[in-house]
Amino acid sequence: MKTLSEYRKYWFSIILALTLMLPAVISVAINLSSDPFEIFTQDSEASPAFLGGRGQDRYQHAGVIRQYQPRSVIIGHSHAANFLPTSVESTLNWKEVYSLTLDGGPPYEHNQIIEFALKNSALENVLWLFEPQNLAAAPTFTNPKMPFPEYLYDTSRMNDLTLFATLPKEFAKYVSLKDEKRTSITQEIELSGRTVDPRDRSTSWYHSEISRFNRPNEVAKLILGKSMKTFEKVTNPGAMWELNEEKIDRLVISDLINFDSNIDRNFLSPVLKHPEVNFTFIALPPFPTLFWKTRKLTRESGYKQDLAYIRAFVKKVAPYKNVEVYGFGTDMFTNDLRLYKDNKHYHIAVNEFMLNAISQKTNKLTTENIDEYLVEFDGAINTYSLPKKSYPKKQVRKNRKELNIAEATTIIASYKN
């Protein structure tokens, strides 16, 4: 039988435990009541809004998958973020499209999103963009700058509560950001007089970055860097290594173990498990030709690796009937730096061009054409010359006219391959 002293210790322990737990319980309760990422409940607001970009997307996508049950999704890093769901629906005739792109997301994070979507919604189509260098990543690599919440993408719903154990003020910030986004969409509708689907503003960054296009001199400066040696190499390259049909079999991947693990674990795993789902990969995004020429002249070994990655990826996924691969390295508009805001990020009109090409299957990569395609790609880089009007300038031109979608579309159309 317990003594009075033992009873006091027993109840003191219980009271102490409850006292310590109470703030955490209150914090979770407050955060659950707001749930800005819609992890457990769908928004009651008449006009939905989705948080995205700079790490918020990693939380929001779990809620989008659970609450909105997409039938088609867009996956990739920031180069895929300007694929607008409504454009994908109208151009590719896909249904119920949602953007699940991740800023700075490597293949492992892409895979976690896709695997979760396949388990929790009836997916039919996946549009998946990556760049060749991504295939060099370790198969479980995550972006250290934006932690990936793996607990949201496992099979345990209890683990999702981990998110809600953060400080209430953090969730208040996200609620405020969501209200700001909803207000921004409403204002855009009022100013334009057009309907704006909230899905089109979930991850797209174009409308906040439009002023950074149409600056070819500044973009050239970003790509070439501060070294005059790089500028001299690009403007006076001399003899360059040239890919041909004889050399193409010599394109060898240096880290084959990492590459194979990445392909098998992150890309082919969902393809094999879900033959009923169509996967459309973009393995070579339309980066500026100047970017590729600079890379070739300053890091030839890395450039050759990129070509080897593209070729090997196409050959790896070719046997599967639910897969198509596309490349956008030989389209001549990539010569025009007005369409870029930095060394890789392109105008939203370029995303529209890619969708149209996919719908017409004009840029499709296969085992039959990949070698010829890469030879043509390398040849275009060798013959490219940076126009003098686009040379880097010390003085940054101010008040340059913004490049809207119609104007950018006209520039793209002006190039005939």
Side-chain angles (χ1 to χ4, degrees):
M1 188 173 180
K2 292 183 179 180
T3 64
L4 182 60
S5 176
E6 287 173 331
Y7 271 113
R8 284 175 177 171
K9 289 181 180 179
Y10 174 74
W11 284 108
F12 177 78
S13 298
I14 292 177
I15 293 170
L16 179 61
L18 290 173
T19 303
L20 293 172
M21 290 172 60
L22 190 59
V25 172
I26 293 173
S27 173
V28 170
I30 292 173
N31 290 339
L32 275 170
S33 67
S34 56
D35 196 10
F37 298 112
E38 303 180 80
I39 303 299
F40 286 101
T41 56
Q42 189 172 330
D43 268 359
S44 57
E45 296 280 349
S47 55
F50 306 106
L51 293 172
R54 309 319 301 165
Q56 298 169 26
D57 42 29
R58 287 154 170 77
Y59 303 98
Q60 180 70 74
H61 295 339
V64 166
I65 292 165
R66 285 198 182 278
Q67 307 304 333
Y68 296 90
Q69 295 289 294
R71 289 169 59 186
S72 304
V73 297
I74 306 157
I75 193 71
H77 32 61
S78 57
H79 304 113
N82 285 318
F83 283 122
L84 303 184
T86 57
S87 290
V88 174
E89 288 177 349
S90 60
T91 307
L92 301 184
N93 199 30
W94 292 2
K95 307 298 182 186
E96 298 176 43
V97 180
Y98 285 81
S99 179
L100 304 179
T101 63
L102 303 163
D103 274 7
Y108 174 74
E109 294 182 11
H110 299 176
N111 171 269
Q112 293 299 288
I113 300 287
I114 288 297
E115 296 279 11
F116 186 77
L118 288 165
K119 291 174 184 174
N120 292 280
S121 61
L123 278 193
E124 297 172 359
N125 303 288
V126 176
L127 176 60
W128 192 339
L129 179 148
F130 60 94
E131 59 179 293
Q133 294 94 319
N134 294 147
L135 299 177
T140 56
F141 173 77
T142 59
N143 189 329
K145 295 181 180 179
M146 290 173 275
F148 186 76
E150 296 197 45
Y151 55 84
L152 289 179
Y153 298 94
D154 60 19
T155 56
S156 171
R157 290 295 270 156
M158 287 297 294
N159 286 350
D160 295 353
L161 291 172
T162 304
L163 177 64
F164 298 87
T166 58
L167 294 174
K169 65 179 182 181
E170 285 295 313
F171 266 65
K173 178 184 75 175
Y174 294 132
V175 170
S176 177
L177 287 172
K178 197 161 189 177
D179 288 339
E180 288 175 15
K181 195 159 195 176
R182 189 176 284 111
T183 300
S184 175
I185 292 171
T186 301
Q187 291 173 345
E188 186 179 345
I189 293 171
E190 292 173 352
L191 287 171
S192 66
R194 297 190 302 269
T195 301
V196 177
D197 194 308
R199 294 174 299 161
D200 288 349
R201 300 295 177 266
S202 58
T203 63
S204 174
W205 46 260
Y206 166 72
H207 288 84
S208 64
E209 299 285 317
I210 185 174
S211 62
R212 295 180 63 188
F213 293 95
N214 202 24
R215 308 177 308 145
N217 308 102
E218 289 88 276
V219 172
K221 185 188 295 185
L222 283 170
I223 295 174
L224 295 171
K226 297 179 180 180
S227 174
M228 280 302 297
K229 289 183 178 180
T230 303
F231 176 75
E232 290 168 3
K233 279 185 178 181
V234 170
T235 52
N236 299 286
M240 295 176 65
W241 176 84
E242 185 176 352
L243 182 65
N244 56 38
E245 292 181 3
E246 294 177 358
K247 293 179 182 177
I248 202 149
D249 284 326
R250 300 177 206 163
L251 293 174
V252 178
I253 294 171
S254 57
D255 190 351
L256 195 57
I257 294 176
N258 226 23
F259 171 80
D260 284 339
S261 298
N262 206 350
I263 296 294
D264 294 340
R265 190 207 182 288
N266 294 322
F267 291 95
L268 282 182
S269 176
V271 168
L272 292 171
K273 286 187 287 188
H274 296 275
E276 77 284 0
V277 178
N278 297 311
F279 289 81
T280 301
F281 290 105
I282 297 175
L284 179 57
F287 296 154
T289 310
L290 180 61
F291 163 80
W292 286 114
K293 187 147 195 170
T294 303
R295 182 165 173 78
K296 182 173 184 177
L297 289 168
T298 58
R299 278 201 62 204
E300 186 179 288
S301 61
Y303 169 77
K304 290 178 181 177
Q305 283 290 292
D306 293 337
L307 300 187
Y309 285 135
I310 298 165
R311 185 173 187 250
F313 181 83
V314 171
K315 289 180 178 292
K316 271 267 192 179
V317 302
Y320 307 104
K321 294 181 179 180
N322 58 331
V323 171
E324 289 185 344
V325 185
Y326 289 84
F328 296 91
T330 60
D331 296 283
M332 290 182 64
F333 67 78
T334 58
N335 293 348
D336 199 318
L337 296 179
R338 291 176 294 175
L339 296 168
Y340 299 87
K341 74 179 182 72
D342 52 35
N343 67 333
K344 291 182 180 179
H345 291 90
Y346 34 78
H347 199 279
I348 194 172
V350 175
N351 293 81
E352 294 297 308
F353 173 89
M354 286 191 280
L355 288 180
N356 284 310
I358 291 170
S359 71
Q360 298 167 27
K361 301 188 185 300
T362 56
N363 287 59
K364 191 174 178 181
L365 302 180
T366 66
T367 53
E368 289 76 23
N369 71 8
I370 185 59
D371 289 357
E372 181 184 355
Y373 181 88
L374 292 177
V375 169
E376 181 186 350
F377 172 66
D378 181 69
I381 292 166
N382 282 0
T383 57
Y384 170 77
S385 178
L386 177 65
K388 288 188 177 181
K389 64 181 180 180
S390 297
Y391 280 10
K393 294 181 180 179
K394 292 182 180 179
Q395 295 294 327
V396 176
R397 181 177 171 182
K398 297 180 180 180
N399 302 320
R400 182 180 289 276
K401 182 184 176 184
E402 291 182 352
L403 189 66
N404 63 37
I405 297 175
E407 291 165 337
T409 302
T410 300
I411 290 174
I412 293 170
S414 71
Y415 288 91
K416 304 297 182 184
N417 280 2

